[in-house]
Amino acid sequence: MSNFGPTDERLRRVQARMPGFAVEPMRVARMIFLLHKTLRDEMNSVLRKYDLADSSYIVLAILYGSIDETSTASALSEACHEKPANLTRVCDELAGRGLIERNPKLGDRRAVMISLTDSGRALIEQALPDVSERVVAACTSVSAAELRQLADLHLRLLEGLNSGA
């Protein structure tokens, strides 16, 4: 478990040097960064036995949850929150392992369709329960109502960021 105390101390020192410094929003932002990093590290440790990193896992999981287990490259990039160049790198690796395949989109030669292969489906069906188990374990100290509230609060923060607030 990470000790957030030193970060709190640094934020208070900044506040003392800069009157009006928005310490609480900055504290929340630092907590979100730490939570993201810690969760990503946990996921990567779970995924290591499947020879996956979180970015590859996310591609497979999004395809698994997509209609016909297929997506355009642009929609997949948006869903993964990955830049096209990074998604290309991830997809090259997954295609090289036979976990996805790329095909031209019917009626639009410029668009590429990315689909799970049988091997990709089998791998995500093995990994998904382990990832889910780890996430559930991380949330045991939070009630279902608190999780819904936390999700709602995060959505509001995202909406604020997306609106340019």
Side-chain angles (χ1 to χ4, degrees), residues 131-147:
V131 170
S132 179
E133 181 180 311
R134 184 62 197 110
V135 171
V136 168
C139 295
T140 57
S141 65
V142 182
S143 72
E146 289 169 325
L147 281 174

Side-chain angles (χ1 to χ4, degrees), residues 39-144:
L39 189 56
R40 188 174 190 163
D41 291 348
E42 288 287 324
M43 293 304 97
N44 280 324
S45 90
V46 169
L47 293 168
R48 202 168 292 125
K49 76 179 180 182
Y50 300 104
D51 195 25
L52 289 172
D54 64 325
S55 55
S56 300
Y57 164 80
I58 289 168
V59 167
L60 295 176
I62 288 171
L63 289 172
Y64 188 68
S66 298
I67 297 171
D68 297 327
E69 297 177 346
T70 299
S71 176
T72 63
S74 59
L76 186 58
S77 176
E78 187 175 315
C80 293
H81 305 284
E82 290 285 353
K83 293 181 176 157
N86 193 49
L87 181 65
T88 298
R89 180 191 59 75
V90 171
C91 287
D92 285 347
E93 185 257 326
L94 292 171
R97 292 177 57 191
L99 301 173
I100 64 167
E101 60 185 14
R102 296 179 179 120
N103 292 300
K105 183 177 181 181
L106 294 176
D108 185 355
R109 293 182 344 194
R110 297 168 299 155
V112 174
M113 300 302 293
I114 300 172
S115 303
L116 275 181
T117 63
D118 291 342
S119 296
R121 182 179 315 102
L123 184 60
I124 195 65
E125 286 176 347
Q126 289 174 4
L128 195 54
D130 287 347
V131 170
S132 179
E133 181 180 311
R134 184 62 197 110
V135 171
V136 168
C139 295
T140 57
S141 65
V142 182
S143 72

Side-chain angles (χ1 to χ4, degrees), residues 142-158:
V142 182
S143 72
E146 289 169 325
L147 281 174
R148 284 189 296 278
Q149 182 181 23
L150 184 60
D152 290 344
L153 291 170
H154 279 103
L155 281 174
R156 287 173 46 197
L157 287 170
L158 284 170

